[in-house]
């Protein structure tokens, strides 16, 4: 089986590392053929802090996916996250160059170049430049200006940057584990590909990826991203709260959260009791489930309120006609959607990864949205390469690649 027929998403998360292998069918559709996970302990809040243990977990996750699929992985598309990630909006203007005033690819390249020419500190690099809309002369709201006639071309873009060293450490882990990195994609951008419908993005939607170490936020308006944010609080914090209040080890608190946790009091039966086995010499006991909810709900409410306040400040709260979509492992907490609906005042749902073909079904869990999204993203990039005939997914670096990187963000 030629390696080019595989497309592998590698999500290096704070609590788990997950590899998902997609394979092209004869009809160029993608089927999921393997998935592998390994516990992650070399990251803090989305950022690699221990190369050795991360690369071991990367190897373990990919080997498990290889074992399940019977395929061999040589390269991956990996995600990046962490509080160092920032998104800004920018715009650029150029004069249309052709004598016939017809906008060509070179004009689009120049206008995006102009829009991304903002001052970026030396220690940061651009991860994505995503066109939001083009303005031709005074006509705005144009998604693709190619071949239109005009004199003046403007582009509005969302630029996402991240710390150079974080990306380098990530690359190092994957390379040292023996795999090539085809692309580095912001994790929330990847997740959005796996869980948001085109309609939601057009209507305006807030996606919240509730991870272990961080909570990632991405806002779409009129089909394009306008706001990227990372809140440095995640599911681990919820577990730690339970562990502190109930004076129990964090492994047990984690188990309790997953088995009996809830973050919305109206869903809890006041008479329901949960059993706490004795740990460390303490006798076993039982507590009302409502007590556990009282520990979890304030932390989840704090995370959502923090995000809501930022939405209000940036003026996006009134643009969320598509509601809120929660994904990531933390969204599995019962009551998450109900609490979000109450705090944001718009409909909220849990985002499960879209159905892809194949016999493997384990990926249909919000925990795997990022990994599945990396595959979908990689596939879009690959097919756009094909359209542009710029030398395939593994084409040469240089101008062609740079242009491809801009073009891949289109639509
Ligand atoms: N059924 C469940 N109920 C409640 N919480 C859950 C459940 N399943 C997983 N979680 C929580 O989800 C979190 C892990 O989510 P996820 O796998 O998306 O994180 P990650 O990708 O490893 O971390 P990050 O994205 O922050 O780097 C953990 O805190 C875990 O406790
Ligand atoms: Mg994650």
């Amino acid at each position: 089986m030629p390696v080019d027929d595989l497309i592998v998403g590698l999500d290096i998360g704070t609590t788990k590392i997950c590899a998902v292998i997609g394979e092209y069918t004869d009809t160029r559709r993608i089927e999921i053929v393997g998935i592998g996970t390994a516990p992650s302990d070399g990251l803090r809040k989305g950022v690699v802090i221990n190369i050795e243990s991360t690369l071991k977990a990367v190897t373990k996750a990919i080997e498990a996916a290889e074992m399940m699929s019977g395929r061999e992985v040589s390269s991956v598309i990996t995600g990046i996250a962490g509080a160092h990630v920032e998104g800004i909006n920018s715009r650029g203007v150029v004069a249309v160059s052709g004598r016939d005033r017809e906008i060509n690819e070179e004009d689009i390249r120049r206008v995006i170049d102009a829009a991304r020419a903002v001052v970026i500190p030396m220690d940061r690099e651009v991860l994505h430049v995503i066109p939001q809309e083009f303005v031709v002369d005074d006509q705005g709201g144009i998604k693709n200006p190619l071949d239109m006639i005009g004199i003046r071309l403007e582009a509005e873009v969302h630029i996402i940057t991240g710390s150079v060293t974080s990306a380098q450490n990530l690359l190092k882990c994957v390379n040292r584990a023996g795999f090539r990195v085809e692309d580095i994609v912001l994790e929330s951008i990847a997740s959005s590909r796996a869980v948001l419908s085109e309609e939601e993005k057009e209507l305006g939607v807030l996606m919240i990826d509730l991870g272990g170490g961080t909570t990632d936020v991405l806002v779409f308006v009129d089909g394009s991203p306008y706001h990227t944010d990372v809140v440095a609080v995640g599911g681990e914090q919820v577990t730690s709260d339970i562990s502190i209040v109930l004076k129990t080890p964090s492994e047990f608190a984690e188990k309790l959260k997953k088995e009996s946790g809830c973050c919305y009091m109206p869903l809890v039966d006041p008479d329901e009791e949960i059993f706490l086995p004795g740990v460390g010499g303490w006798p076993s006991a039982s507590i009302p489930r409502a007590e556990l909810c009282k520990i979890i709900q304030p932390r989840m409410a704090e995370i959502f309120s923090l995000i809501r306040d930022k939405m209000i400040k940036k003026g996006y709260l009134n643009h969320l006609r598509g509601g809120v979509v929660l994904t990531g492992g933390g969204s599995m907490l019962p009551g998450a959607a109900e609490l979000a609906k109450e705090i944001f005042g718009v409909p909220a749902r849990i985002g499960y990864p879209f159905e892809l073909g194949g016999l493997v079904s384990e990926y249909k869990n919000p925990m795997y949205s990022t990994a599945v999204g990396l595959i979908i993203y990689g596939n879009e990039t690959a097919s756009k390469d094909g359209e542009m005939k710029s030398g395939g997914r593994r084409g040469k670096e240089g101008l062609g690649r740079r242009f491809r990187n801009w073009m891949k963000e289109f639509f």
Side-chain angles (χ1 to χ4, degrees):
M1 178 66 61
V3 192
D4 250 332
D5 279 344
L6 294 184
I7 183 158
V8 182
L10 179 69
D11 173 17
I12 303 183
T14 308
T15 62
K16 54 103 198 18
I17 293 183
C18 162
V20 178
I21 304 181
E23 183 175 61
Y24 284 107
T25 62
D26 295 341
T27 53
R28 297 307 283 173
R29 270 169 36 89
I30 291 178
E31 285 189 346
I32 303 294
V33 292
I35 174 165
T37 58
S40 161
D41 58 2
L43 272 83
R44 185 154 307 148
K45 303 223 173 274
V47 173
V48 177
I49 55 157
N50 184 331
I51 300 269
E52 203 56 36
S53 69
T54 306
L55 87 85
K56 277 190 188 140
V58 164
T59 309
K60 217 168 142 191
I62 295 181
E63 275 176 3
E66 286 181 324
M67 188 90 95
M68 183 191 261
S69 62
R71 314 292 196 275
E72 201 182 319
V73 172
S74 63
S75 62
V76 300
I77 298 175
T78 189
I80 187 165
H84 58 93
V85 171
E86 271 174 22
I88 52 165
N89 295 324
S90 172
R91 54 169 39 219
V93 191
V94 294
V96 177
S97 60
R99 218 173 267 250
D100 51 5
R101 297 287 175 208
E102 201 175 276
I103 296 166
N104 57 32
E105 284 177 357
E106 175 61 25
D107 294 317
I108 300 175
R109 187 204 316 250
R110 281 192 305 118
V111 77
I112 292 174
D113 224 355
R116 85 202 292 266
V118 285
V119 180
I120 290 162
M122 288 289 283
D123 58 349
R124 305 186 68 77
E125 66 178 319
V126 173
L127 297 168
H128 300 274
V129 178
I130 308 170
Q132 295 162 330
E133 69 163 14
F134 293 91
V135 182
V136 178
D137 298 338
D138 281 321
Q139 179 62 52
I142 298 167
K143 289 286 170 191
N144 182 9
L146 191 65
D147 295 340
M148 284 184 69
I149 309 283
I151 295 169
R152 173 192 159 94
L153 175 64
E154 280 176 64
E156 289 182 16
V157 299
H158 189 58
I159 302 175
I160 299 172
T161 65
S163 112
V164 172
T165 49
S166 292
Q168 282 171 344
N169 283 327
L170 207 59
L171 269 174
K172 199 166 172 185
C173 288
V174 184
N175 289 338
R176 277 186 45 195
F179 305 97
R180 207 152 41 82
V181 176
E182 274 179 46
D183 213 342
I184 296 189
V185 181
L186 181 68
E187 283 168 19
S188 55
I189 292 276
S191 303
S192 74
R193 292 293 207 277
V195 304
L196 298 181
S197 69
E198 291 307 317
E199 196 185 5
E200 281 170 330
K201 288 189 257 185
E202 284 299 329
L203 285 171
V205 68
L206 162 63
M207 188 198 76
I208 305 177
D209 183 332
L210 294 154
T214 62
T215 300
D216 302 346
V217 175
L218 189 59
V219 177
F220 282 83
V221 179
D222 291 335
S224 309
Y226 271 77
H227 176 71
T228 313
D229 199 12
V230 178
V231 181
V233 185
E236 283 179 344
Q237 202 72 47
V238 175
T239 303
S240 141
D241 291 344
I242 299 173
S243 160
I244 291 167
V245 176
L246 297 182
K247 299 185 183 60
T248 186
S250 48
E251 303 85 75
F252 182 68
E254 175 76 11
K255 192 162 171 273
L256 202 61
K257 176 179 83 173
K258 285 185 183 162
E259 284 173 6
S260 313
C262 181
C263 65
Y264 192 61
M265 200 56 103
L267 297 182
V268 179
D269 173 356
D271 297 328
E272 191 178 345
E273 292 274 319
I274 49 176
F275 179 69
L276 301 179
V279 242
W282 290 79
S284 57
S286 75
I287 58 161
R289 189 168 175 230
E291 284 300 312
L292 185 61
C293 185
K294 268 190 208 156
I295 304 169
I296 301 174
Q297 184 167 335
R299 182 64 76 180
M300 295 297 286
E302 181 198 17
I303 296 174
F304 289 153
S305 306
L306 243 152
I307 298 170
R308 182 201 51 200
D309 293 349
K310 278 197 187 164
M311 290 295 107
I312 294 172
K313 202 168 140 208
K314 300 259 174 191
Y316 292 121
L317 197 65
N318 296 328
H319 289 88
L320 306 179
R321 285 182 298 138
V324 174
V325 177
L326 306 174
T327 194
S331 69
M332 308 267 282
L333 198 61
E338 287 81 357
L339 185 66
K341 180 172 183 269
E342 190 174 287
I343 290 178
F344 291 99
V346 293
R349 71 169 181 94
I350 309 299
Y352 283 79
F354 292 139
E355 178 101 32
L356 294 172
L359 295 174
V360 177
S361 61
E362 284 91 330
Y363 70 88
K364 292 173 199 163
N365 178 316
M367 239 167 69
Y368 301 136
S369 300
T370 306
V372 173
L374 287 168
I375 292 185
I376 298 174
Y377 185 95
N379 176 45
E380 285 168 8
T381 315
S383 50
K384 261 164 215 158
D385 284 352
E387 279 164 30
M388 294 178 58
K389 299 185 181 61
S390 59
R393 198 143 41 98
R394 283 157 206 185
K396 289 197 184 84
E397 289 289 324
L399 249 192
R401 167 151 175 92
R402 270 176 52 210
F403 187 31
R404 211 141 36 89
N405 277 342
W406 299 326
M407 289 302 282
K408 78 183 180 186
E409 312 281 11
F410 275 29
F411 320 120

